[in-house]
């Protein structure tokens, strides 16, 4: 009797302790218990949010919950979602660090700037390249100007002209354009991609890149389970995904090696377009970091220990993000323009007002002055509204709360909690963006056609979050904006676009998201003056 009683008491005690630790405390006693639950189970189980993410409906679901419960919600036992400018400032402007979720962006087994978990190594790496991604540097870079001229005049515009009256998958075309653009800036035109003219390899590369993207869920959300099952030869992620990643990494490493050989050559290439702007800045930055005396670099254990792999990791991150986000945005811009012939006409009229136009019929080939390009309100407005309405990265961008705790909104949040916001929701606040589900470029115009007050315009700009915010916001935002303006200017100065097949144009739900169909077919017509 006594011997039976001890196991029973132990079992009851263990059960009571488990109930307290996993249900009672998180649901009723924890500081997080004051935060509204997105789902009835959110306080004690992550299953609901894991299923939502697995089902690829996180953006829409969390936006719906925020609309009902407010700007701070609890989506799991140790996870918070936020949705207002004050919370964005606390999370992204307050120095909260990244967590294990970003390890999937480590390439070649080493972190890049984007995946660096802590702010100090991130800042050290950012200092090496932030100058060449600054607006003033890009706008005044002879290398960028020549690279853009080659890509637009020798590749993109001839490709479009050769396909007049035929249907063109512009998502594929824009991915090629932006890949050629970003790799030229990274490696110089000599060692960059030429996807616009090499269609066969472009389709192979993009197939590798995009088919493997479907399998990021398990590595990001269930990394321990994924690793454990892999040891038992149970693969949640198909083995061919590793093969695809290896081929993509090898492709990038080959360009890195060729570019470093180019930089080390005694005879310098006089062609400005061949200047590897970003890789050159990174190589110089690493050399300077190595020469520091009297103190150990915060990059000693990663970047300086594996310099070649660290450079390659940085480059593949830039070319991946640089081609995908801009390619998606250009696709959605062209879709909206293709539905409005009058808007296309007004845009062309604005583009023709530039001192340096991009008319193919002109004998004066060249790239518009960046300052002139930035004065075009309609061009700026259609891009900004597309970035608001269909941000290329609409998904959650998580951070980790600092120990012992921090304040977010009206709540005290313990340390070690995953917390994040998503542009999809931030951009759909009806108080800031009236009728948010309508694409309305006029909300970004500052002329008499826009009835917003100056204070409303300030709020409009404060809530714009397509490039994130804080010290870890997108380093390539200036490059992306200028590149997209040039591409739109080149196309709509010379052509009009018309929809052939836009089935599935709705934006997919996910972290980085294009059309659900992964295509948009348009027909181009040359404008005759």
């Amino acid at each position: 009797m006594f011997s039976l009683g001890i196991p029973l008491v132990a079992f009851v005690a263990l059960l009571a302790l488990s109930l307290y630790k996993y249900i009672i405390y998180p649901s009723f006693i924890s500081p997080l218990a004051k935060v509204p639950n997105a789902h009835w189970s959110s306080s004690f189980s992550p299953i609901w949010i894991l299923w939502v993410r697995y089902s690829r409906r996180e953006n829409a679901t969390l936006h719906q919950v925020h609309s009902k419960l407010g700007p701070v919600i609890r989506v799991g036992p140790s996870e918070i979602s936020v949705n207002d400018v004050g919370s964005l400032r606390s999370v992204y402007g307050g120095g909260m660090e990244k967590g294990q979720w970003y390890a999937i962006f480590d390439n070649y087994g080493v972190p890049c700037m984007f995946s660096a978990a802590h702010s100090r190594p991130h800042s050290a790496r950012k200092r090496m390249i932030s100058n060449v991604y600054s607006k003033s540097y890009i706008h005044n870079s002879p290398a960028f100007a020549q690279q853009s001229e080659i890509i637009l005049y020798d590749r993109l515009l001839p490709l479009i002209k050769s396909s007049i009256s035929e249907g063109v998958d512009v998502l594929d075309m824009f991915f090629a354009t932006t890949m050629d653009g970003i790799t030229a800036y990274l490696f110089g035109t000599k060692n960059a991609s030429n996807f616009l003219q090499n269609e066969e390899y472009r389709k192979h590369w993009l197939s590798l890149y995009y088919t493997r993207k479907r399998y990021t869920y398990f590595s990001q959300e269930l990394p321990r389970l994924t690793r454990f099952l892999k040891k038992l030869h149970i693969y949640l992620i198909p083995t061919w995904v590793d093969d695809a990643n290896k081929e993509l990494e090898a492709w990038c490493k080959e360009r890195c090696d060729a570019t470093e050989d180019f930089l080390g050559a005694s005879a310098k290439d006089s062609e400005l377009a061949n200047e590897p702007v970003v890789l050159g800045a990174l190589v110089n930055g690493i050399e300077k970091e190595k020469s520091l005396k009297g103190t150990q670099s915060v990059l000693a254990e990663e970047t300086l220990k594996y310099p070649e792999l660290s450079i390659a990791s940085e480059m593949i991150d830039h070319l991946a993000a640089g081609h995908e986000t801009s390619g998606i945005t250009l696709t959605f811009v062209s879709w909206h323009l293709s539905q409005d012939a009058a808007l296309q006409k007004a845009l062309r009229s604005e583009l023709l007002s530039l001192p340096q136009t991009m008319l193919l019929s002109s004998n004066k080939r060249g790239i518009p002055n960046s300052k002139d390009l930035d004065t075009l309100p309609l061009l700026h407005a259609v891009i900004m509204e597309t970035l608001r309405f269909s941000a290329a990265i609409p998904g959650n961008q998580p951070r980790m709360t600092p120990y012992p705790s921090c304040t977010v909104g009206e709540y005290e949040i313990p340390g070690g909690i995953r917390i994040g916001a998503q542009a999809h929701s931030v951009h759909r606040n009806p108080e800031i963006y009236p009728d948010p589900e309508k694409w309305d470029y006029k909300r970004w115009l500052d002329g008499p056609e826009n009835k917003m007050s100056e204070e409303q315009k300030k709020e409009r700009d404060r809530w714009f979050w397509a490039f994130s915010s804080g010290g870890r916001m997108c380093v390539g935002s200036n490059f992306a904006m200028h590149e997209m303006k040039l591409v739109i200017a080149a196309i709509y100065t010379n052509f009009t676009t018309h929809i052939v097949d836009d089935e599935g144009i709705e934006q997919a739900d996910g972290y980085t998201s294009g059309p659900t169909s992964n295509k948009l077919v348009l027909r181009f017509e040359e404008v005759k003056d």
Side-chain angles (χ1 to χ4, degrees), residues 59-134:
N59 299 341
T61 301
L62 291 190
H63 176 59
Q64 208 171 32
V65 177
H66 274 297
S67 299
K68 294 178 180 178
L69 300 180
V72 183
I73 59 174
R74 188 180 187 183
V75 301
S78 301
E79 185 173 354
I80 299 292
S81 176
V82 299
N83 191 37
D84 67 305
V85 165
S87 298
L88 293 181
R89 191 179 300 114
S90 298
V91 176
Y92 299 93
M96 292 192 191
E97 304 283 23
K98 290 186 173 181
Q100 180 65 29
W101 190 87
Y102 289 92
I104 195 171
F105 297 102
D106 292 350
N107 308 298
Y108 308 93
V110 297
C112 58
M113 181 181 70
F114 180 73
S115 65
H118 301 294
S119 57
R120 289 187 65 207
H122 169 270
S123 296
R125 292 187 69 134
K126 186 177 179 180
R127 283 195 296 271
M128 297 178 186
I129 57 173
S130 58
N131 177 56
V132 298
Y133 276 118
S134 69

Side-chain angles (χ1 to χ4, degrees), residues 55-286:
S55 305
R56 297 180 188 174
R57 49 191 177 88
E58 179 182 9
N59 299 341
T61 301
L62 291 190
H63 176 59
Q64 208 171 32
V65 177
H66 274 297
S67 299
K68 294 178 180 178
L69 300 180
V72 183
I73 59 174
R74 188 180 187 183
V75 301
S78 301
E79 185 173 354
I80 299 292
S81 176
V82 299
N83 191 37
D84 67 305
V85 165
S87 298
L88 293 181
R89 191 179 300 114
S90 298
V91 176
Y92 299 93
M96 292 192 191
E97 304 283 23
K98 290 186 173 181
Q100 180 65 29
W101 190 87
Y102 289 92
I104 195 171
F105 297 102
D106 292 350
N107 308 298
Y108 308 93
V110 297
C112 58
M113 181 181 70
F114 180 73
S115 65
H118 301 294
S119 57
R120 289 187 65 207
H122 169 270
S123 296
R125 292 187 69 134
K126 186 177 179 180
R127 283 195 296 271
M128 297 178 186
I129 57 173
S130 58
N131 177 56
V132 298
Y133 276 118
S134 69
K135 186 173 184 177
S136 60
Y137 190 98
I138 292 166
H139 284 191
N140 294 290
S141 169
F144 177 86
Q146 280 204 13
Q147 290 161 1
S148 299
E149 187 175 319
I150 290 169
I151 291 164
L152 296 175
Y153 282 100
D154 295 342
R155 301 180 192 176
L156 177 62
L157 293 175
L159 176 65
I160 293 173
K161 195 166 184 177
S162 69
S163 62
I164 291 296
S165 299
E166 297 177 5
V168 176
D169 180 358
V170 295
L171 180 65
D172 180 69
M173 182 187 79
F174 285 136
F175 279 157
T177 305
T178 53
M179 177 63 87
D180 288 359
I182 186 60
T183 56
Y185 201 58
L186 298 177
F187 307 123
T189 305
K190 182 177 182 179
N191 294 308
S193 67
N194 187 353
F195 278 8
L196 279 166
Q197 294 180 326
N198 190 345
E199 181 181 6
E200 182 179 357
Y201 188 73
R202 171 180 87 230
K203 290 188 178 299
H204 171 69
W205 194 99
L206 292 175
S207 174
L208 290 177
Y209 183 83
Y210 286 98
T211 52
R212 94 203 205 298
K213 275 190 64 179
R214 302 175 198 164
Y215 299 97
T216 60
Y217 171 83
F218 291 107
S219 295
Q220 288 186 299
E221 303 299 337
L222 299 167
R224 292 180 181 176
L225 176 64
T226 303
R227 289 194 296 268
F228 174 73
L229 292 177
K230 190 174 183 179
K231 290 179 181 178
L232 302 178
H233 301 288
I234 300 172
Y235 299 98
L236 297 177
I237 303 170
T239 54
W240 63 260
V241 172
D242 290 335
D243 295 335
N245 284 327
K246 287 176 183 177
E247 182 173 341
L248 294 172
E249 288 184 344
W251 181 85
C252 179
K253 187 67 166 61
E254 182 182 336
R255 271 140 194 79
C256 291
D257 292 344
T259 305
E260 291 197 57
D261 290 343
F262 172 84
L263 288 171
S266 55
K268 297 300 178 184
D269 194 316
S270 60
E271 189 68 35
L272 285 172
N274 290 333
E275 180 188 347
V277 178
V278 180
L279 191 143
L282 190 56
V283 168
N284 290 336
I286 290 175

